[in-house]
Amino acid sequence: EAAVTQSPRSKVAVTGGKVTLSCHQTNNHDYMYWYRQDTGHGLRLIHYSYVADSTEKGDIPDGYKASRPSQENFSLILELASLSQTAVYFCASRWDPNQAPLFGEGTRLSVL
Amino acid sequence: GQQVKQSSPSLTVQEGGISILNCDYENDMFDYFAWYKKYPDNSPTLLISVRSNVDKREDGRLTVFLNKSGKHFSLHITASQPEDTAVYLCAAGAGTGSKLSFGKGAKLTVSP
């Protein structure tokens, strides 16, 4: 069964610390996405990738880096976490642009 | 800026009525349009999607209307039920590069 797995499911980080959110898919999908969800903002695209070893900037990339070391794995990296990055983060994958993305369960990040 | 806009953040409909949710987009290159349903603390789930080569698509109680010249698409839910109460997110993307952007969401409340 197709699946997108995010880890951790929740995390508390300190301001200025480094945070890495991981996403793993077993669907053989080429396209992977990182979104953040905030009240009043819906889902906003941070970074995405359509092939291993390559990433693209989304609509709100500032303060975030992404890494796609393999087709299955896509990480979101906060080098210097800030209070404003407290949010729920969703990873998604899909096989091609004609297909709806499959979402992971989300990671709740709190930066204190 | 926001590539996909949902101007009405909330909507209340009587049970049995028609719910109409609207979405506007800016990018002429968008050729994939979708509506998602989302509950708090859950990941979005796809309801219905269309490509730009059709103006309308029906699936049970759901209908998507696409107006390409007006850069607008909408979701109509007939015979609305209390279990339809949720946040609805519209999404649009372009095949090339496969960037997929979401609106802020609209909360639909169906009252008995």
Side-chain angles (χ1 to χ4, degrees):
Chain A
E1 185 176 311
V4 177
T5 305
Q6 294 183 229
S7 62
R9 292 296 312 279
S10 67
K11 183 173 179 64
V12 178
V14 295
T15 303
K18 182 177 181 178
V19 176
T20 300
L21 306 182
S22 299
C23 181
H24 178 78
Q25 53 102 355
T26 58
N27 315 314
N28 206 31
H29 288 171
D30 288 329
Y31 300 90
M32 297 188 74
Y33 305 84
W34 274 108
Y35 293 90
R36 65 176 280 175
Q37 177 203 332
D38 302 274
T39 303
H41 289 280
L43 289 176
R44 291 185 289 174
L45 180 63
I46 306 170
H47 285 288
Y48 64 104
S49 168
Y50 50 86
V51 68
D53 294 321
S54 179
T55 63
E56 304 293 329
K57 293 181 179 180
D59 297 324
I60 55 161
D62 293 345
Y64 302 93
K65 291 184 180 178
S67 174
R68 184 90 182 270
S70 63
Q71 186 189 42
E72 298 80 17
N73 296 293
F74 190 38
S75 298
L76 186 67
I77 303 152
L78 289 68
E79 295 280 2
L80 295 170
S82 66
L83 294 172
S84 63
Q85 292 176 311
T86 292
V88 178
Y89 292 82
F90 288 100
C91 176
S93 75
R94 61 177 173 172
W95 182 56
D96 71 18
N98 295 315
Q99 185 190 47
L102 179 67
F103 281 84
E105 294 299 312
T107 296
R108 183 175 294 277
L109 174 65
S110 297
V111 182
L112 306 178
Chain B
Q2 192 86 20
Q3 297 261 345
V4 180
K5 297 179 182 178
Q6 294 178 255
S7 55
S8 299
S10 64
L11 172 69
T12 300
V13 174
Q14 286 285 102
E15 183 175 3
I18 298 176
S19 302
I20 300 175
L21 298 151
N22 295 298
C23 192
D24 298 296
Y25 61 95
E26 297 185 351
N27 192 332
D28 286 334
M29 300 302 293
F30 283 164
D31 60 2
Y32 173 87
F33 307 92
W35 284 95
Y36 285 76
K37 186 176 184 180
K38 189 180 184 305
Y39 296 108
D41 297 329
N42 280 45
S43 56
T45 55
L46 177 71
L47 291 174
I48 189 169
S49 64
V50 295
R51 297 303 308 278
S52 57
N53 58 342
V54 299
D55 294 330
K56 175 183 173 182
R57 182 183 174 197
E58 292 182 60
D59 184 0
R61 295 190 295 116
L62 307 177
T63 303
V64 177
F65 293 92
L66 175 62
N67 175 354
K68 293 187 287 293
S69 62
K71 297 183 191 176
H72 176 86
F73 61 109
S74 61
L75 174 67
H76 292 217
I77 306 173
T78 58
S80 298
Q81 302 164 7
E83 47 266 41
D84 294 329
T85 294
V87 173
Y88 289 78
L89 296 162
C90 62
T96 303
S98 73
K99 180 178 172 181
L100 183 66
S101 297
F102 283 78
K104 292 184 178 183
K107 180 167 173 54
L108 171 65
T109 302
V110 181
S111 54

Short mmCIF file of all heavy atoms in Angstrom, two decimals, chain A residues 65-97:
data_model
loop_
_atom_site.label_atom_id
_atom_site.label_comp_id
_atom_site.label_asym_id
_atom_site.label_seq_id
_atom_site.Cartn_x
_atom_site.Cartn_y
_atom_site.Cartn_z
N LYS A 65 16.07 24.69 4.22
CA LYS A 65 16.80 23.99 3.16
C LYS A 65 16.14 22.64 2.97
O LYS A 65 15.44 22.13 3.85
CB LYS A 65 18.27 23.80 3.54
CG LYS A 65 19.08 25.08 3.58
CD LYS A 65 20.54 24.78 3.86
CE LYS A 65 21.37 26.05 3.90
NZ LYS A 65 22.80 25.76 4.22
N ALA A 66 16.36 22.04 1.80
CA ALA A 66 15.81 20.72 1.54
C ALA A 66 16.90 19.83 0.97
O ALA A 66 17.87 20.31 0.37
CB ALA A 66 14.63 20.80 0.57
N SER A 67 16.72 18.54 1.16
CA SER A 67 17.69 17.58 0.65
C SER A 67 16.96 16.35 0.14
O SER A 67 16.08 15.82 0.83
CB SER A 67 18.67 17.18 1.76
OG SER A 67 19.53 16.14 1.33
N ARG A 68 17.31 15.92 -1.07
CA ARG A 68 16.69 14.71 -1.66
C ARG A 68 17.82 13.75 -2.04
O ARG A 68 18.23 13.66 -3.18
CB ARG A 68 15.90 15.12 -2.92
CG ARG A 68 15.14 13.95 -3.56
CD ARG A 68 13.78 13.78 -3.05
NE ARG A 68 13.08 12.65 -3.62
CZ ARG A 68 12.32 12.71 -4.73
NH1 ARG A 68 12.20 13.86 -5.39
NH2 ARG A 68 11.70 11.64 -5.15
N PRO A 69 18.33 13.02 -1.07
CA PRO A 69 19.47 12.13 -1.33
C PRO A 69 19.12 10.89 -2.14
O PRO A 69 20.02 10.27 -2.72
CB PRO A 69 19.94 11.75 0.07
CG PRO A 69 18.72 11.87 0.92
CD PRO A 69 17.94 13.02 0.34
N SER A 70 17.84 10.54 -2.17
CA SER A 70 17.40 9.37 -2.92
C SER A 70 15.96 9.60 -3.34
O SER A 70 15.31 10.54 -2.86
CB SER A 70 17.50 8.10 -2.07
OG SER A 70 16.63 8.19 -0.95
N GLN A 71 15.44 8.75 -4.20
CA GLN A 71 14.05 8.92 -4.62
C GLN A 71 13.10 8.79 -3.43
O GLN A 71 12.06 9.45 -3.37
CB GLN A 71 13.69 7.88 -5.69
CG GLN A 71 12.30 8.11 -6.27
CD GLN A 71 11.84 6.98 -7.17
OE1 GLN A 71 12.04 5.82 -6.84
NE2 GLN A 71 11.23 7.33 -8.28
N GLU A 72 13.45 7.94 -2.46
CA GLU A 72 12.55 7.65 -1.36
C GLU A 72 12.55 8.69 -0.25
O GLU A 72 11.60 8.77 0.52
CB GLU A 72 12.90 6.29 -0.73
CG GLU A 72 12.79 5.10 -1.67
CD GLU A 72 13.98 4.96 -2.59
OE1 GLU A 72 15.05 5.57 -2.31
OE2 GLU A 72 13.86 4.27 -3.61
N ASN A 73 13.61 9.46 -0.12
CA ASN A 73 13.79 10.32 1.04
C ASN A 73 13.90 11.80 0.69
O ASN A 73 14.61 12.18 -0.24
CB ASN A 73 15.03 9.89 1.83
CG ASN A 73 14.88 8.51 2.40
OD1 ASN A 73 14.07 8.26 3.29
ND2 ASN A 73 15.66 7.56 1.89
N PHE A 74 13.21 12.62 1.48
CA PHE A 74 13.21 14.07 1.26
C PHE A 74 13.20 14.73 2.63
O PHE A 74 12.27 14.51 3.41
CB PHE A 74 11.96 14.45 0.45
CG PHE A 74 11.93 15.86 -0.05
CD1 PHE A 74 13.08 16.50 -0.50
CD2 PHE A 74 10.73 16.55 -0.13
CE1 PHE A 74 13.04 17.79 -0.99
CE2 PHE A 74 10.68 17.84 -0.63
CZ PHE A 74 11.83 18.46 -1.06
N SER A 75 14.23 15.49 2.95
CA SER A 75 14.35 16.09 4.27
C SER A 75 14.17 17.60 4.20
O SER A 75 14.52 18.23 3.19
CB SER A 75 15.73 15.79 4.88
OG SER A 75 15.91 14.40 5.05
N LEU A 76 13.65 18.15 5.27
CA LEU A 76 13.53 19.61 5.42
C LEU A 76 14.42 20.01 6.59
O LEU A 76 14.32 19.43 7.68
CB LEU A 76 12.08 20.00 5.70
CG LEU A 76 11.79 21.49 5.74
CD1 LEU A 76 11.97 22.11 4.37
CD2 LEU A 76 10.37 21.74 6.26
N ILE A 77 15.27 20.99 6.36
CA ILE A 77 16.28 21.37 7.36
C ILE A 77 16.11 22.82 7.77
O ILE A 77 16.05 23.70 6.90
CB ILE A 77 17.69 21.15 6.79
CG1 ILE A 77 17.85 19.70 6.34
CG2 ILE A 77 18.76 21.51 7.82
CD1 ILE A 77 18.83 19.51 5.22
N LEU A 78 16.03 23.02 9.07
CA LEU A 78 16.00 24.37 9.62
C LEU A 78 17.35 24.56 10.31
O LEU A 78 17.60 23.99 11.36
CB LEU A 78 14.87 24.52 10.63
CG LEU A 78 13.43 24.53 10.13
CD1 LEU A 78 13.00 23.18 9.57
CD2 LEU A 78 12.49 24.93 11.25
N GLU A 79 18.24 25.30 9.68
CA GLU A 79 19.59 25.47 10.24
C GLU A 79 19.58 26.25 11.55
O GLU A 79 20.28 25.93 12.49
CB GLU A 79 20.49 26.18 9.23
CG GLU A 79 20.75 25.39 7.96
CD GLU A 79 21.83 24.33 8.12
OE1 GLU A 79 22.35 24.17 9.25
OE2 GLU A 79 22.15 23.64 7.14
N LEU A 80 18.76 27.30 11.58
CA LEU A 80 18.64 28.13 12.78
C LEU A 80 17.16 28.33 13.05
O LEU A 80 16.54 29.26 12.55
CB LEU A 80 19.33 29.49 12.56
CG LEU A 80 20.84 29.48 12.35
CD1 LEU A 80 21.32 30.85 11.90
CD2 LEU A 80 21.56 29.09 13.65
N ALA A 81 16.59 27.42 13.84
CA ALA A 81 15.15 27.46 14.07
C ALA A 81 14.73 28.77 14.75
O ALA A 81 15.43 29.29 15.64
CB ALA A 81 14.74 26.28 14.92
N SER A 82 13.59 29.28 14.32
CA SER A 82 13.05 30.50 14.91
C SER A 82 11.62 30.27 15.38
O SER A 82 10.96 29.32 14.95
CB SER A 82 13.09 31.65 13.90
OG SER A 82 12.21 31.38 12.83
N LEU A 83 11.17 31.15 16.27
CA LEU A 83 9.82 31.03 16.81
C LEU A 83 8.77 30.98 15.71
O LEU A 83 7.77 30.26 15.81
CB LEU A 83 9.53 32.20 17.75
CG LEU A 83 10.35 32.28 19.04
CD1 LEU A 83 10.06 33.60 19.76
CD2 LEU A 83 10.05 31.11 19.95
N SER A 84 9.00 31.75 14.64
CA SER A 84 8.02 31.85 13.55
C SER A 84 7.90 30.55 12.76
O SER A 84 6.99 30.41 11.92
CB SER A 84 8.39 32.99 12.60
OG SER A 84 9.63 32.72 11.97
N GLN A 85 8.79 29.61 12.99
CA GLN A 85 8.73 28.34 12.28
C GLN A 85 7.94 27.27 13.03
O GLN A 85 7.86 26.12 12.59
CB GLN A 85 10.15 27.85 11.97
CG GLN A 85 10.85 28.76 10.95
CD GLN A 85 12.28 28.38 10.68
OE1 GLN A 85 13.08 28.15 11.59
NE2 GLN A 85 12.63 28.32 9.41
N THR A 86 7.34 27.67 14.13
CA THR A 86 6.41 26.78 14.82
C THR A 86 5.19 26.56 13.92
O THR A 86 4.54 27.53 13.51
CB THR A 86 5.96 27.40 16.16
OG1 THR A 86 7.09 27.43 17.05
CG2 THR A 86 4.84 26.59 16.79
N ALA A 87 4.92 25.31 13.58
CA ALA A 87 3.84 25.00 12.65
C ALA A 87 3.71 23.49 12.55
O ALA A 87 4.49 22.73 13.14
CB ALA A 87 4.13 25.59 11.26
N VAL A 88 2.73 23.05 11.76
CA VAL A 88 2.63 21.64 11.40
C VAL A 88 3.17 21.52 9.97
O VAL A 88 2.79 22.29 9.09
CB VAL A 88 1.18 21.13 11.46
CG1 VAL A 88 1.11 19.68 11.01
CG2 VAL A 88 0.63 21.28 12.88
N TYR A 89 4.06 20.56 9.77
CA TYR A 89 4.70 20.37 8.47
C TYR A 89 4.21 19.08 7.83
O TYR A 89 4.17 18.02 8.47
CB TYR A 89 6.22 20.34 8.64
CG TYR A 89 6.79 21.68 9.04
CD1 TYR A 89 6.79 22.09 10.37
CD2 TYR A 89 7.29 22.55 8.08
CE1 TYR A 89 7.29 23.33 10.74
CE2 TYR A 89 7.80 23.79 8.44
CZ TYR A 89 7.79 24.18 9.76
OH TYR A 89 8.28 25.41 10.12
N PHE A 90 3.82 19.18 6.57
CA PHE A 90 3.35 18.02 5.82
C PHE A 90 4.27 17.72 4.65
O PHE A 90 4.66 18.63 3.92
CB PHE A 90 1.94 18.24 5.29
CG PHE A 90 0.87 18.21 6.33
CD1 PHE A 90 0.34 19.38 6.85
CD2 PHE A 90 0.37 17.00 6.79
CE1 PHE A 90 -0.65 19.36 7.81
CE2 PHE A 90 -0.62 16.97 7.76
CZ PHE A 90 -1.12 18.15 8.26
N CYS A 91 4.57 16.46 4.49
CA CYS A 91 5.30 15.98 3.33
C CYS A 91 4.29 15.29 2.41
O CYS A 91 3.29 14.72 2.88
CB CYS A 91 6.38 15.00 3.77
SG CYS A 91 7.30 14.23 2.42
N ALA A 92 4.54 15.35 1.11
CA ALA A 92 3.65 14.69 0.16
C ALA A 92 4.48 14.16 -1.01
O ALA A 92 5.57 14.66 -1.28
CB ALA A 92 2.57 15.64 -0.34
N SER A 93 3.93 13.17 -1.70
CA SER A 93 4.61 12.65 -2.89
C SER A 93 3.57 12.32 -3.95
O SER A 93 2.40 12.09 -3.65
CB SER A 93 5.44 11.40 -2.54
OG SER A 93 4.61 10.26 -2.34
N ARG A 94 4.02 12.32 -5.20
CA ARG A 94 3.15 11.86 -6.28
C ARG A 94 4.01 11.39 -7.44
O ARG A 94 5.16 11.78 -7.58
CB ARG A 94 2.16 12.90 -6.74
CG ARG A 94 2.74 14.19 -7.30
CD ARG A 94 1.61 15.09 -7.77
NE ARG A 94 2.08 16.41 -8.17
CZ ARG A 94 1.33 17.33 -8.75
NH1 ARG A 94 0.07 17.09 -8.99
NH2 ARG A 94 1.84 18.51 -9.09
N TRP A 95 3.41 10.58 -8.31
CA TRP A 95 4.15 9.95 -9.39
C TRP A 95 4.38 10.91 -10.54
O TRP A 95 5.46 11.00 -11.09
CB TRP A 95 3.39 8.71 -9.86
CG TRP A 95 4.09 7.97 -10.94
CD1 TRP A 95 5.35 7.47 -10.90
CD2 TRP A 95 3.56 7.66 -12.22
NE1 TRP A 95 5.65 6.85 -12.10
CE2 TRP A 95 4.58 6.95 -12.91
CE3 TRP A 95 2.34 7.88 -12.86
CZ2 TRP A 95 4.38 6.49 -14.22
CZ3 TRP A 95 2.16 7.41 -14.14
CH2 TRP A 95 3.19 6.73 -14.80
N ASP A 96 3.32 11.68 -10.86
CA ASP A 96 3.48 12.68 -11.91
C ASP A 96 2.48 13.81 -11.69
O ASP A 96 1.61 13.71 -10.81
CB ASP A 96 3.34 12.05 -13.29
CG ASP A 96 1.93 11.63 -13.63
OD1 ASP A 96 0.96 12.10 -12.99
OD2 ASP A 96 1.77 10.81 -14.55
N PRO A 97 2.58 14.89 -12.45
CA PRO A 97 1.71 16.06 -12.22
C PRO A 97 0.23 15.80 -12.46
O PRO A 97 -0.60 16.61 -12.10
CB PRO A 97 2.25 17.09 -13.22
CG PRO A 97 3.66 16.69 -13.46
CD PRO A 97 3.65 15.20 -13.42
#
